């Protein structure tokens, strides 16, 4: 008998409902519904359009029913964002998007309560101003009445699970993105919450990744005409779902989950929290079976996506293939940016910001679309090299390959440049890593697959990985030295 599960994956611009079917040997995915996932800006605040997204989830369930049905549901998306519920279960307000300006300056504000060193010692999480703890501190400092009205905090996948099941629960991997979890206890840090004056009773108990938290509610079952499927707390943080699907049979591997963000790291049994990891600002995120993803968040394809949106606003609608072609036509390794510089994190005229960065750092200033694209591509590949070196230094291990997974694997130029910059073999695929990981955890939860190592072996055998061979180049070595000086590392 084939096992069928339903995965919902919410990305930066779209959401999808995907049926995963397992026959005992191979996992096959089939997309049954796709919809846009657009943040909505109202009076200067950027929100999730959560009511419309829940409508789309129900449409996905209907289409999955027409496709042959399913036994369980799992939901994943990016970390840190959350909704606040009143005692009666209604939303206090639409969840706020992590790119909202309310997070600005909150890391510095938090330092008045607790040192960075102490917070990192407890959580092992990379400091980023949109982490949940800083979003909550912003509410406490600027809109305390919102927190006073709230009874429960649920991260976005957990909130959508609640809407489907009526069960309030928090999944482990998404909880760790908050920078409020003590990695030694796998539970909320009383010290952080008490020191920052945040209410612990807003938070629910943390469920292990893969737990069955409930069933589709009778109301939803009646409305949609479907059986009461299990609701499974898959690795709700999409990065952790993707890591679960790494097509590697070795214990030690390096990966890049490549999409709007590039998450570069490795999987380790225990968190790595020391002076080197603090200096590198590496994160330790929780994963399946309480493993740790030791990784660095790098601004990824957002740089290309937002540049393309700007050119569209100017009346030039380039395809991604055209942008890659224009980049290839330009002279290589002329100028670089730090992909993680603050000016590149917000919406707007990103190409102009690239020019301004190059000008202020005394470099050649790219003028054409192709030159800007070449600068972005090469800067990403060089930032990967810097991060790769840092991770190997922290772990004391070397890696002879990098697995690149997710939508970014379609960008052949970036993967080729990564192999050149890092001088190791790069394996591209699977494109659908997040959905595969979501599906695999559901299959492990119901006993159809016995372990994560078996799941990875099944995924590896079912994928046609693309190899980009290591290419040592003196030009790239020289470029790397210049890049490090330019960004001040």
């Amino acid at each position: 008998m084939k096992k069928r599960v339903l995965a919902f994956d919410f990305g930066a611009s779209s959401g999808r409902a995907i049926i995963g079917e397992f026959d005992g040997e191979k996992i096959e995915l089939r997309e049954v519904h796709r919809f846009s996932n657009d943040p909505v800006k109202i009076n200067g605040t950027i929100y999730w359009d959560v009511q419309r997204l829940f409508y789309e989830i129900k449409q996905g369930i209907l289409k999955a029913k027409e496709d042959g049905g399913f036994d369980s549901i799992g939901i994943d998306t990016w970390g840190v964002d959350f909704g606040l519920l009143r005692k009666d279960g209604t939303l206090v307000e639409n969840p706020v998007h992590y790119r909202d300006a309310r997070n600005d300056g909150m890391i510095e504000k938090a330092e008045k309560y607790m040192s960075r060193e102490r917070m990192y010692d407890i959580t092992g999480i990379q400091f980023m101003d949109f982490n949940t703890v800083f979003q909550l501190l912003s509410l406490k400092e600027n809109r305390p009445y919102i927190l006073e009205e709230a009874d429960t905090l649920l991260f976005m996948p957990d909130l959508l699970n609640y809407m489907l099941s009526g069960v309030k629960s928090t999944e482990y991997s998404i909880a760790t993105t908050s920078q409020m979890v003590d990695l030694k206890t796998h539970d909320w840090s009383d010290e952080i919450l008490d020191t920052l004056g945040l209410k612990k009773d807003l938070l629910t108990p943390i469920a292990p990744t893969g737990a069955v938290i409930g069933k589709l509610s009778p109301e939803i079952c009646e409305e949609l005409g479907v059986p009461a499927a299990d609701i499974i707390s898959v690795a709700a943080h999409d990065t952790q779902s993707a890591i679960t699907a790494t097509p590697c049979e070795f214990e030690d591997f390096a990966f890049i989950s490549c999409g709007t963000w590039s998450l570069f790291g490795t999987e380790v049994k225990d968190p790595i929290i020391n002076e080197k990891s603090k200096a590198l600002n590496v994160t330790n995120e929780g994963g399946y079976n309480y493993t740790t993803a030791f990784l660095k968040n790098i601004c990824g394809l957002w740089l290309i996506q937002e540049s393309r949106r700007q050119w569209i606003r100017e009346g030039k609608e380039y395809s991604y293939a055209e942008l890659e072609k224009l980049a290839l036509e330009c002279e290589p390794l002329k100028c670089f940016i730090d992909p993680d510089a603050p000016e590149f994190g917000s919406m707007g005229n990103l190409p102009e910001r690239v020019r301004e960065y190059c000008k202020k750092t005394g470099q050649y200033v790219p003028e054409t679309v192709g030159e800007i694209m070449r600068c972005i591509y090469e800067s990403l590949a060089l930032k990967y090299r810097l991060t790769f070196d840092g991770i190997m230094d922290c772990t004391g291990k070397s890696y002879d390959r990098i697995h690149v997974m997710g939508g970014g694997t379609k960008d052949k130029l970036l993967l080729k440049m990564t192999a050149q910059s890092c001088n190791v073999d790069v394996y591209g695929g699977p494109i659908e890593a997040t959905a595969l990981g979501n599906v695999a955890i559901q299959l492990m939860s119901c006993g159809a697959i016995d372990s994560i190592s078996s799941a990875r072996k099944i995924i590896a055998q079912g994928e046609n990985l693309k190899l980009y061979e290591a290419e040592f180049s003196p030009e790239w070595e020289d470029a790397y030295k210049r890049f490090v000086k330019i960004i001040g590392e």
Side-chain angles (χ1 to χ4, degrees):
M1 289 289 292
K2 291 184 178 180
K3 190 72 176 176
R4 291 166 57 87
V5 302
L6 177 57
F8 285 96
D9 173 36
F10 290 85
S13 59
S14 67
R16 300 171 304 150
I18 296 172
I19 286 287
E21 192 170 82
F22 181 56
D23 63 4
E25 295 183 357
K26 185 177 180 181
I27 298 173
E28 292 187 354
L29 301 182
R30 183 164 56 261
E31 183 180 299
V32 294
H33 186 47
R34 178 182 285 265
F35 47 93
S36 64
N37 181 14
D38 304 302
V40 179
K41 192 170 186 177
I42 304 173
N43 296 328
T45 299
I46 305 172
Y47 297 98
W48 280 72
D49 195 358
V50 68
Q51 289 87 352
R52 184 182 66 81
L53 293 177
F54 187 63
Y55 168 83
E56 298 291 359
I57 285 176
K58 291 196 284 187
Q59 297 309 299
I61 291 173
L62 284 171
K63 291 181 180 179
K65 179 183 75 169
E66 294 166 3
D67 188 72
F70 52 91
D71 300 305
S72 61
I73 297 173
I75 299 175
D76 68 75
T77 187
W78 62 79
V80 308
D81 285 351
F82 58 89
L84 294 169
L85 299 173
R86 301 182 182 92
K87 284 187 178 180
D88 64 2
T90 58
L91 280 165
V92 175
E93 64 174 354
N94 267 13
V96 176
H97 194 282
Y98 75 95
R99 290 195 186 274
D100 188 74
R102 73 175 180 175
N103 311 318
D104 295 349
M106 284 300 117
I107 292 178
E108 291 74 20
K109 179 77 71 172
E111 284 186 283
K112 296 180 180 179
Y113 298 92
M114 177 181 282
S115 70
R116 287 196 188 203
E117 290 76 13
R118 181 57 186 155
M119 190 175 288
Y120 188 83
D121 284 341
I122 296 169
T123 68
I125 295 296
Q126 177 179 353
F127 281 82
M128 306 187 82
D129 61 8
F130 49 67
N131 290 349
T132 313
V133 68
F134 304 124
Q135 294 195 45
L136 285 172
L137 185 60
S138 173
L139 284 175
K140 173 179 173 283
E141 297 284 327
N142 302 311
R143 303 174 71 209
Y145 52 90
I146 295 291
L147 290 177
E148 289 167 7
E149 194 174 351
D151 179 71
T152 306
L153 179 153
L154 293 176
F155 295 93
M156 291 308 300
D158 301 317
L159 177 63
L160 295 169
N161 283 340
Y162 165 71
M163 292 177 174
L164 288 174
S165 67
V167 177
K168 298 174 183 176
S169 178
T170 302
E171 185 273 328
Y172 178 62
S173 76
I174 204 90
T176 63
T177 70
S178 69
Q179 207 162 11
M180 299 189 298
V181 171
D182 186 331
L183 289 185
K184 297 182 183 69
T185 64
H186 308 305
D187 202 356
W188 304 112
S189 168
D190 289 331
E191 182 178 345
I192 289 175
L193 296 171
D194 291 344
T195 303
L196 270 63
L198 302 175
K199 296 193 300 181
K200 185 178 181 180
D201 58 7
L202 280 176
L203 305 169
T204 79
I206 298 174
T209 306
V212 179
I213 61 166
K215 288 186 176 292
L216 206 56
S217 71
E219 177 187 355
I220 298 290
C221 291
E222 181 180 357
E223 177 188 354
L224 304 180
V226 295
D230 288 335
I231 306 297
I232 297 177
S233 62
V234 299
H237 186 207
D238 51 9
T239 299
Q240 299 306 318
S241 277
I243 294 167
T244 301
T246 306
C248 184
E249 298 179 42
F250 303 103
E251 185 173 331
D252 292 324
F253 57 87
F255 64 81
I256 304 175
S257 179
C258 188
T260 300
W261 287 88
S262 291
L263 296 308
F264 196 137
T266 187
E267 187 177 74
V268 295
K269 291 181 180 178
D270 299 303
I272 299 174
I273 301 173
N274 54 35
E275 293 306 314
K276 288 182 178 180
S277 66
K278 286 179 191 177
L280 191 59
N281 198 20
V282 185
T283 206
N284 291 266
E285 288 182 5
Y288 187 74
N289 277 344
Y290 295 108
T291 55
T292 296
F294 185 67
L295 61 86
K296 179 87 170 174
N297 287 271
I298 303 168
C299 188
L301 300 183
W302 160 262
L303 298 165
I304 296 170
Q305 295 161 351
E306 189 63 14
S307 294
R308 179 173 177 265
R309 281 189 281 268
Q310 178 61 32
W311 289 316
I312 290 172
R313 288 190 285 267
E314 296 172 1
K316 305 165 189 173
E317 192 153 349
Y318 298 106
S319 69
Y320 288 111
E322 287 172 327
L323 291 174
E324 184 176 314
K325 182 175 180 293
L326 289 169
L328 279 168
E329 292 171 354
C330 294
E331 185 179 340
L333 304 172
K334 291 184 71 175
C335 55
F336 314 114
I337 60 169
D338 180 355
D340 295 315
E343 54 263 46
F344 301 126
S346 58
M347 301 173 184
N349 192 340
L350 202 141
E352 183 57 32
R353 294 175 197 165
V354 170
R355 295 187 189 99
E356 290 171 357
Y357 185 98
C358 291
K359 184 177 181 180
K360 77 178 183 182
T361 51
Q363 302 180 79
Y364 172 80
V365 178
E367 296 297 336
T368 69
V369 170
E371 286 180 328
I372 290 168
M373 287 301 302
R374 185 105 198 183
C375 174
I376 291 172
Y377 273 118
E378 291 172 346
S379 298
L380 280 172
L382 290 165
K383 191 65 180 272
Y384 293 165
R385 162 72 183 278
L386 180 67
T387 305
F388 191 39
D389 287 352
I391 285 172
M392 288 191 290
D393 186 39
C394 288
T395 62
K397 297 178 180 179
S398 60
Y399 308 90
D400 63 358
R401 64 179 64 189
I402 298 171
H403 286 274
V404 181
M405 304 170 291
T409 60
K410 293 181 285 189
D411 202 322
K412 297 177 182 178
L413 179 58
L414 179 58
L415 270 64
K416 179 179 173 61
M417 287 183 174
T418 301
Q420 291 174 314
S421 176
C422 297
N423 192 28
V424 294
D425 291 345
V426 170
Y427 288 83
I431 294 173
E432 296 290 358
T434 302
L436 275 168
N438 182 321
V439 166
I441 290 173
Q442 292 189 63
L443 293 170
M444 287 187 283
S445 179
C446 72
I449 296 177
D450 63 8
S451 67
I452 192 169
S453 59
S454 295
R456 285 172 172 160
K457 185 176 181 179
I458 290 165
I459 290 167
Q461 291 173 346
E463 291 292 322
N464 184 21
L465 304 181
K466 173 69 174 174
L467 170 62
Y468 300 82
E469 293 184 352
E471 294 184 44
F472 176 78
S473 161
E475 292 79 14
W476 274 92
E477 285 297 308
D478 176 68
Y480 178 63
K481 294 173 184 176
R482 289 190 285 127
F483 173 78
V484 171
K485 289 181 179 179
I486 288 163
I487 70 171
E489 290 285 343

